């Protein structure tokens, strides 16, 4: 069963409450998304660490229910 964009946003915001999250369905199939996540929690972290934080927030759905997620992560300006 595909994952809804709102579910992705909810999971990320639960783990990173201050995050500004934008999610786009790239293929219209509920399996391929792009997300832009901005959170103060990313400050001082490498891009890999930032992405790992988002994957952890998705609680095991990455690679299963959610097939592909193109991520852009940043700390606020």
């Amino acid at each position: 069963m595909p994952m809804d964009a709102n579910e992705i946003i909810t999971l990320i915001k639960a783990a990173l409450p201050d995050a500004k999250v934008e999610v786009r369905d790239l293929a219209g199939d509920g399996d391929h998304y792009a997300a832009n996540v901005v959170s103060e929690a990313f400050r001082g972290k490498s891009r890999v660490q930032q992405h790992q934080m988002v994957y952890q927030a998705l609680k095991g759905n990455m690679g299963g229910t959610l097939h592909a997620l193109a991520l852009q992560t940043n700390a606020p300006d």
Side-chain angles (χ1 to χ4, degrees):
M1 178 174 200
M3 194 167 200
D4 180 77
N6 289 326
E7 187 177 357
I8 295 169
I9 293 168
T10 299
L11 288 170
I12 293 171
K13 286 184 130 322
L16 303 164
D18 74 314
K20 291 186 173 129
V21 184
E22 296 173 8
V23 176
R24 291 184 336 259
D25 188 339
L26 297 175
D29 60 3
D31 282 336
H32 299 82
Y33 289 97
N36 184 31
V37 184
V38 178
S39 173
E40 186 60 42
F42 296 150
R43 192 167 305 282
K45 304 240 185 315
S46 71
R47 188 80 57 208
V48 169
Q49 290 170 320
Q50 293 173 15
H51 288 202
Q52 287 172 335
M53 291 169 72
V54 174
Y55 293 145
Q56 287 175 338
L58 295 173
K59 300 185 179 189
N61 287 300
M62 194 66 222
T65 307
L66 180 57
H67 178 72
L69 180 65
L71 269 178
Q72 249 190 329
T73 55
N74 293 295
D77 291 335

